[in-house]
Amino acid sequence: MFKRPLSLLALLSLTFNAFSQDIPQPRSYVAYQVSEKPIVDGQLNEFAWQAADWSEPFLDIQGPDLPTPNQLTQMKMLWDEQHLYIGVKLHEKNIWATYTERESVIFHENDIEVFIDPDGDTHNYYEIEVNALGTLWDLLLTKPYKNGGKPINGWNINNLEYAIHLSGTVNDPTDVDDYWSIEMAIPWKSLSQSGPSYKAPVDGDQWRINFSRVQWQIEPNSNGYKKTINPKTGKAFPEDNWVWSPMGPINMHLPERWGYLQFSEINIGEGKEAFKAEPNEKIKNELRKLYDAEKQFFAGNGRYTNKLSDLNVDTSLTMVEIEATKSWFKISSPAVSNGEYWHITEDSKIWKK
């Protein structure tokens, strides 16, 4: 979740500068197929999991210039015609979790979070949060919070299978723990908005995805652990956010900055292939620069504009069409080699048609 609210002015400033400054390059992961479904027990010890590559270690959400997290977190992914499989290992000296009721606000304690946007349009994306007790919070986001999006807490990820494995003891400060891990099997049908006509990805498809580990400073107490209080503020120290693909700002709800998941039809252990950057992503990022400029123009003028010259932004796009009213805009540019156009609107939705 977006845990540290920004003022509207600060958010507009952050948004406008998003694609004009150096921001972390999204990471990528190639997931291979499995011929047999792994046993979902949290241990990640079958051949398929052993053959899958670990991701890069998680970093601070703001990027590699921040201090390296003091505990290692990595993930793996696999897939087949029925499921996306996710495995995450979180090294942890003090395993702490108290929430046991589903739909609790899990990130108020240590947790692991998964964010998935299958079609990459930044709307109707999914968030899954789980703690070391296996307590789940799953929700659907209609659009990013910066665009007035609302979390649909009543949405449940049907038929999700997941399990936790503990190498240590929960809430016991008398010992030093090793790690905890989670394994998920997420049905494609549960991530589809097409009802019965859902389908699995095909070779080469790419989704946007990210992972976040929320980590609080804690200390022992009579019940196990409690958050460490900052004596200067009288409140708990802010949580750390360690993520797979760094975001820049402390905000996971910028789906356009998440990493890329590429699906390969190669069976795990039978070969490798490189991630292939999709040329249309450059067009989408240029459109986002223009989107940011429209937001900046609105902040100063109280309306949007249909004139590219008003936006005062350099773009590599050679053909740009802008439609705008006082409260709405759509910016369009041709896609790569198929006669279609990419479009972005004032609510940040981006799509091809």
Side-chain angles (χ1 to χ4, degrees):
M1 297 294 290
F2 187 9
K3 308 177 185 68
R4 301 183 193 175
L6 297 173
S7 69
L8 177 60
L9 181 60
L11 189 55
L12 284 171
S13 176
L14 178 155
T15 302
F16 177 68
N17 289 304
F19 289 94
S20 59
Q21 296 180 345
D22 291 335
I23 62 173
Q25 180 68 26
R27 286 175 162 176
S28 59
Y29 188 94
V30 178
Y32 299 97
Q33 287 202 85
V34 292
S35 57
E36 183 177 350
K37 181 183 177 183
I39 298 171
V40 181
D41 57 9
Q43 298 191 57
L44 311 177
N45 56 4
E46 293 98 333
F47 166 78
W49 282 124
Q50 294 295 318
D53 291 332
W54 283 112
S55 71
E56 306 94 330
F58 287 22
L59 297 174
D60 187 278
I61 189 172
Q62 296 175 83
D65 293 336
L66 275 288
T68 301
N70 58 20
Q71 299 191 94
L72 179 66
T73 315
Q74 292 176 284
M75 64 80 183
K76 299 182 177 187
M77 289 183 280
L78 299 164
W79 69 290
D80 61 20
E81 290 298 313
Q82 287 75 43
H83 298 90
L84 170 65
Y85 301 104
I86 291 174
V88 186
K89 185 175 183 179
L90 306 91
H91 289 262
E92 177 58 77
K93 296 178 181 177
N94 301 296
I95 301 176
W96 172 57
T98 67
Y99 292 129
T100 58
E101 183 177 349
R102 182 168 177 160
E103 315 300 352
S104 298
V105 184
I106 306 295
F107 67 77
H108 284 169
E109 297 180 348
N110 294 348
D111 76 355
I112 184 67
E113 304 174 1
V114 184
F115 299 82
I116 304 174
D117 184 6
D119 60 11
D121 69 354
T122 77
H123 283 211
N124 297 317
Y125 59 89
Y126 310 104
E127 179 177 354
I128 304 168
E129 302 190 10
V130 186
N131 67 11
L133 293 174
T135 306
L136 174 71
W137 186 18
D138 50 354
L139 58 161
L140 170 68
L141 283 298
T142 57
K143 52 187 174 181
Y145 289 123
K146 69 177 183 180
N147 301 113
K150 303 294 183 182
I152 301 178
N153 201 45
W155 175 82
N156 288 328
I157 185 163
N158 295 328
N159 302 311
L160 170 70
E161 298 177 57
Y162 71 100
I164 302 292
H165 174 72
L166 302 175
S167 181
T169 50
V170 181
N171 303 324
D172 183 359
T174 66
D175 64 2
V176 177
D177 302 314
D178 188 9
Y179 70 89
W180 63 283
S181 56
I182 182 169
E183 184 175 4
M184 298 181 183
I186 306 175
W188 302 122
K189 186 175 183 178
S190 298
L191 298 179
S192 171
Q193 293 153 36
S194 302
S197 64
Y198 79 95
K199 61 181 180 179
V202 298
D203 183 55
D205 278 357
Q206 293 181 1
W207 286 16
R208 302 306 296 266
I209 192 167
N210 213 350
F211 299 79
S212 175
R213 174 180 178 174
V214 173
Q215 191 76 8
W216 294 86
Q217 295 185 41
I218 59 174
E219 59 187 37
N221 71 357
S222 58
N223 295 318
Y225 299 102
K226 65 176 182 178
K227 294 178 183 177
T228 302
I229 301 299
N230 182 344
K232 294 182 179 180
T233 65
K235 300 179 181 179
F237 284 98
E239 78 280 16
D240 286 314
N241 297 269
W242 300 336
V243 306
W244 169 54
S245 192
M247 302 291 293
I250 304 173
N251 181 2
M252 287 301 297
H253 291 273
L254 300 171
E256 67 273 15
R257 297 191 181 203
W258 296 348
Y260 294 94
L261 165 59
Q262 177 175 302
F263 297 93
S264 172
E265 65 183 1
I266 298 174
N267 287 328
I268 187 68
E270 296 182 4
K272 297 278 189 178
E273 66 177 290
F275 175 79
K276 300 174 183 177
E278 164 56 54
N280 280 296
E281 290 300 310
K282 292 182 179 180
I283 297 173
K284 292 163 70 176
N285 283 340
E286 287 297 305
L287 287 175
R288 290 179 177 121
K289 286 170 56 177
L290 298 174
Y291 163 93
D292 292 344
E294 278 278 14
K295 291 293 184 179
Q296 180 80 355
F297 184 88
F298 184 92
N301 298 275
R303 63 179 177 86
Y304 294 118
T305 180
N306 62 1
K307 297 179 180 179
L308 182 61
S309 58
D310 286 343
L311 299 182
N312 192 30
V313 61
D314 291 330
T315 178
S316 62
L317 298 176
T318 57
M319 186 182 297
V320 176
E321 298 177 6
I322 303 177
E323 303 171 61
T325 67
K326 182 177 180 179
S327 59
W328 170 90
F329 70 80
K330 182 171 75 171
I331 308 174
S332 307
S333 190
V336 174
S337 302
N338 63 3
E340 295 181 305
Y341 276 69
W342 283 102
H343 310 277
I344 191 167
T345 44
E346 83 293 337
D347 59 0
S348 79
K349 183 174 181 178
I350 192 164
W351 76 100
K352 184 173 65 173
K353 185 176 180 181

